[in-house]
Amino acid sequence: MAAITTLNPKAELARASQALAINISGARGIQEVLKTNLGPKGTMKMLVSGSGDLKITKDGNILLHEMQIQHPTASLIAKACTAQDDIIGDGTTSTVLIIGELLKQADSRIQDGLHPRIIAEGFDIAKLKAMDVLKKMAIPCTDLSREQLEAVAHTALASKVAAVMARQLTTVCCDAVEAIRKPDAELDLHMVEIMEMKHKTDLDSSLVRGLVLDHGGRHPDMPKGVRNAFILTCNVSMEYEKTEVNSGFFYKSAEEREKLITAEREFIEKRVKIVVALKKKVCKSPDQSFVVINQKGIDPISLDMLAKEGILGLRRAKRRNMERLVLACGGLAVNSFDDLDESCLGYAGHVYENVLGEDKYTFIEEVKNPKSVTVLLRGPYKHTLQQSKDALRDGLRAIKNAIDDKALVPGGGAFEFACYNALVEAEGQVHGRTRYGVRAFADALLVIPKTLAQNSGHDALDCLVKLSEGQKEAGEGSYVGLDLNTGSYMDPVAQGVYDNFCVKKHMLDACTVIARNLLIVDEIMRAGLSQLK
């Protein structure tokens, strides 16, 4: 009898080979689900929620987040791989495939009588060698050119959306990064706002060098579009607010009540008059205009006063938009109208309102030196917008990773194939039975080029043969990847197919740690504390 059943008679238990079989079947199961998604020729998955909402995607991270996984091993792998995406932004599907393949290769060797611990030690040796290969393959890029940024973004985007959309989003991503990038400062992707509009087609998505706010003017007489606009960004209430403490006012007659209301109103009107006076001071010619964007409220009487002066007023703007407004248009975000002057104002060449159904959008464009931009994603359906949004985030992260790493890695399965060749050579230098673990690791890495070939409609073994022939022709120091259109080999650097250095590095770490931990599990117990109901 197992010791755990003595302690807890209700415990469920799986031991030794049975525990290993559960772990391997879980890893293989999640591998089979994601296998067909890999690469630009991968297929889509349609996820249907309990309420009937659709999500069509081929992004491994989205699938693992949204799927309800009950198998404990598969759930562990899913959580670990989605954590990688949260940190780096890519590489989820590759990591899942390699973990599944490592356990598959280990299983065949365990069937031959090899102990899991020896295979796990072989995995550790192989990982160190693979890291050396990765560092050797990395192409140093201290100052990335526009072509390199486009290449790395397109490689990431092509595996998430259709080829035409990938090209469109590549240009948008690179333009956005170039606009917000500051020399000698870390790239802050929060400065790129993503705005969705259910309108037109997804190919109409564009970059707005300024801001798009998801609300408009609140008075019918306010101008719908202005040119040469001074912009006042403020967080000052322009409506009467109740006191924060419980207080009361007592009056004996209607005249006293009128005086009380007048005093309350005068307090707000004084603030509005300061804004109007500033507008008259700065707008010296008829072609100049004035816009007030307030984080707090503007009451109807104040809106009417602003409209009479031809001022466009927006109220209850989001806080994150207030921060971006200052970066995009210049000026200061003021919390008080005391000492208000021209230096507090920003500038935009064109501010206009766009109405779609019941939704209003305000576009702030033609700003002088934007440090914050907006990507306007258009699409006819909710799921296409979500798909474009997820892909755009991955494209931006790929560019940021390339800038932070100051290095790129040849893509198209080039790293995995080069690593396989290096590990096969290194196997002879490893003493003892640990070499079987190194060989298992090498064979597992081939799952990436094999799957890329299968998803493109080519024969996996034929493609591996062509890659071997191509590597012989290329010679030392050159690397070959898989051309998915022809099934032959190609030079990834010449074709502009790049992967991120940090994605490959994290992938090797995650695969090895998770696979070795699952291999050396010899007992699975369901004996945890039951939750109180």
Side-chain angles (χ1 to χ4, degrees):
M1 181 187 275
I4 188 67
T5 52
T6 311
L7 301 173
N8 183 354
K10 291 182 181 179
E12 294 176 33
L13 181 72
R15 300 194 72 173
S17 59
Q18 191 186 355
L20 190 62
I22 289 171
N23 282 341
I24 291 170
S25 66
R28 294 294 308 282
I30 199 166
Q31 180 197 28
E32 288 301 320
V33 170
L34 294 188
K35 200 170 187 178
T36 53
N37 290 22
L38 186 72
K41 300 283 182 91
T43 53
M44 295 279 188
K45 295 280 190 290
M46 182 189 285
L47 287 171
V48 185
S49 70
S51 59
D53 286 340
L54 284 181
K55 182 169 273 193
I56 298 174
T57 183
K58 63 195 284 196
D59 188 340
N61 177 51
I62 304 296
L63 283 168
L64 294 180
H65 264 302
E66 302 280 340
M67 280 194 305
Q68 191 174 3
I69 301 169
Q70 293 185 334
H71 193 289
T73 308
S75 180
L76 167 76
I77 293 169
K79 284 173 185 171
C81 294
T82 50
Q84 170 175 342
D85 194 278
D86 295 339
I87 299 163
I88 294 169
D90 206 358
T92 317
T93 310
S94 304
T95 309
V96 170
L97 293 190
I98 294 176
I99 291 168
E101 197 66 19
L102 282 169
L103 291 176
K104 176 188 169 186
Q105 296 293 338
D107 186 34
S108 66
R109 284 152 177 86
I110 290 165
Q111 299 295 334
D112 293 339
L114 202 61
H115 195 278
R117 173 64 74 178
I118 292 168
I119 297 173
E121 286 169 6
F123 284 178
D124 288 337
I125 294 166
K127 185 192 95 170
L128 295 174
K129 179 65 181 169
M131 286 292 188
D132 292 339
V133 174
L134 180 62
K135 286 170 187 169
K136 185 181 168 188
M137 280 186 76
I139 303 162
C141 306
T142 48
D143 189 23
L144 287 154
S145 66
R146 168 79 185 208
E147 289 75 21
Q148 286 173 317
L149 288 179
E150 285 188 354
V152 74
H154 186 266
T155 306
L157 288 164
S159 62
K160 307 288 187 295
V161 287
V164 183
M165 189 63 189
R167 283 195 292 274
Q168 173 97 351
L169 289 181
T170 297
T171 308
V172 168
C173 285
C174 293
D175 288 344
V177 168
E178 283 181 352
I180 64 165
R181 193 174 170 188
K182 299 175 191 170
D184 306 321
E186 192 175 345
L187 191 67
D188 184 6
L189 294 180
H190 292 292
M191 291 301 104
V192 180
E193 168 85 348
I194 300 172
M195 182 64 69
E196 300 167 34
M197 286 175 79
K198 204 187 283 186
H199 177 52
K200 295 188 179 179
T201 68
D202 47 5
L203 292 175
D204 290 307
S205 300
S206 59
L207 177 74
V208 177
R209 292 182 184 277
L211 268 117
V212 181
L213 309 178
D214 53 358
H215 50 275
R218 293 293 176 202
H219 194 283
D221 295 339
M222 281 181 174
K224 302 298 178 193
V226 293
R227 293 269 180 189
N228 300 323
F230 291 99
I231 295 179
L232 175 62
T233 309
C234 57
N235 183 20
V236 180
S237 178
M238 290 191 190
E239 61 184 349
Y240 176 69
E241 292 182 350
K242 291 179 181 177
T243 55
E244 291 183 12
V245 293
N246 289 326
S247 59
F249 296 99
F250 300 96
Y251 47 86
K252 301 188 196 76
S253 62
E255 288 80 10
E256 285 186 8
R257 183 178 177 277
E258 284 300 317
K259 279 183 184 176
L260 185 69
I261 292 167
T262 307
E264 281 178 359
R265 189 68 238 155
E266 189 182 356
F267 175 69
I268 300 301
E269 281 181 4
K270 201 180 285 181
R271 289 180 173 176
V272 180
K273 283 172 182 172
I274 291 170
V275 175
V276 171
L278 181 63
K279 186 254 179 186
K280 288 177 177 173
K281 182 182 173 186
V282 296
C283 296
K284 290 165 183 163
S285 64
D287 64 335
Q288 291 179 315
S289 48
F290 201 88
V291 178
V292 177
I293 300 174
N294 194 1
Q295 193 177 335
K296 290 188 175 168
I298 307 175
D299 63 20
I301 301 169
S302 301
L303 282 169
D304 197 48
M305 289 173 71
L306 293 174
K308 281 176 184 173
E309 295 295 331
I311 297 172
L312 175 59
L314 279 73
R315 64 185 181 189
R316 306 203 190 284
K318 291 174 185 168
R319 187 176 170 214
R320 69 169 192 269
N321 285 337
M322 305 302 284
E323 293 167 3
R324 289 196 176 102
L325 266 167
V326 175
L327 289 163
C329 306
L332 299 168
V334 295
N335 292 310
S336 164
F337 286 159
D338 301 335
D339 307 321
L340 195 64
D341 60 13
E342 289 180 45
S343 63
C344 302
L345 300 176
Y347 175 83
H350 193 195
V351 179
Y352 61 97
E353 194 178 282
N354 194 337
V355 181
L356 281 181
E358 295 180 1
D359 297 325
K360 286 184 179 180
Y361 297 89
T362 302
F363 287 71
I364 301 168
E365 293 183 359
E366 296 175 27
V367 294
K368 284 179 179 173
N369 187 22
K371 291 285 178 283
S372 176
V373 292
T374 303
V375 176
L376 187 61
L377 289 177
R378 287 189 166 104
Y381 314 110
K382 186 181 173 185
H383 69 261
T384 55
L385 281 171
Q386 191 60 46
Q387 191 181 338
S388 299
K389 189 176 179 180
D390 294 334
L392 184 74
R393 286 211 173 108
D394 286 353
L396 290 169
R397 289 295 289 275
I399 295 174
K400 184 182 187 298
N401 290 339
I403 292 168
D404 291 347
D405 293 338
K406 293 184 173 61
L408 295 171
V409 178
F415 164 67
E416 288 80 8
F417 189 69
C419 206
Y420 166 78
N421 290 331
L423 289 174
V424 170
E425 283 180 27
E427 184 195 353
Q429 299 161 17
V430 179
H431 300 293
R433 290 190 294 171
T434 316
R435 65 171 57 191
Y436 291 110
V438 175
R439 184 58 191 242
F441 195 97
D443 291 341
L445 287 176
L446 286 181
V447 73
I448 301 296
K450 276 182 185 175
T451 308
L452 285 171
Q454 286 168 351
N455 290 350
S456 306
H458 303 297
D459 184 83
L461 294 178
D462 277 353
C463 290
L464 287 180
V465 170
K466 287 174 185 174
L467 281 175
S468 300
E469 290 169 357
Q471 189 61 62
K472 283 177 188 172
E473 286 179 26
E476 190 68 29
S478 296
Y479 304 99
V480 293
L482 188 64
D483 187 335
L484 302 186
N485 294 319
T486 62
S488 185
Y489 63 90
M490 55 93 179
D491 182 356
V493 178
Q495 296 287 333
V497 180
Y498 293 111
D499 285 327
N500 286 125
F501 177 83
C502 62
V503 170
K504 294 294 181 190
K505 182 173 179 288
H506 203 287
M507 181 186 80
L508 288 173
D509 275 329
C511 293
T512 313
V513 169
I514 296 166
R516 78 186 303 282
N517 282 349
L518 291 175
L519 269 181
I520 56 179
V521 168
D522 73 333
E523 254 182 62
I524 299 173
M525 297 174 282
R526 196 190 290 272
L529 292 169
S530 60
Q531 291 182 330
L532 295 172
K533 292 183 181 176

